[in-house]
Amino acid sequence: MRETLAYRRAFLSRRTAAFDAAVASAAAAMATRSLVPLVATLPYAAISLRRAARFGSVAPKIVAVDLAADTVGLASLVRGSVAVCSPLL
């Protein structure tokens, strides 16, 4: 079932995979004090900006709300994955 419903067998969707990569790259950038890892945030930024562009003048608010929602979603997926010992991010 995981093969058909999950993206790359470990992520809920392409969007969550991009967000997780962005979070990991931000952490790596802070740990190494280098901006190079931030390149991995680009796929998430592209997904987020493409979605928000449809909303015109409220696009910045849409990006902020999506970022908050994706953060809560990641926390929930990590918590659930730990609880059932089956990672799905």
Side-chain angles (χ1 to χ4, degrees):
M1 183 183 219
R2 180 179 291 257
E3 293 82 16
T4 58
L5 296 179
Y7 176 75
R8 306 268 175 160
R9 298 185 66 187
F11 301 98
L12 185 62
S13 67
R14 183 174 177 260
R15 180 183 179 94
T16 62
F19 181 73
D20 295 350
V23 170
S25 69
M30 290 185 343
T32 62
R33 296 183 181 187
S34 170
L35 296 177
V36 174
L38 293 178
V39 170
T41 64
L42 294 176
Y44 178 73
I47 290 169
S48 185
L49 293 174
R50 191 176 316 118
R51 176 177 135 59
R54 294 181 276 175
F55 294 95
S57 64
V58 296
K61 291 179 183 178
I62 298 297
V63 170
V65 169
D66 282 350
L67 181 62
D70 289 338
T71 302
V72 171
L74 174 61
S76 297
L77 286 169
V78 168
R79 182 176 179 204
S81 293
V82 169
V84 299
C85 299
S86 180
L88 180 67
L89 301 171

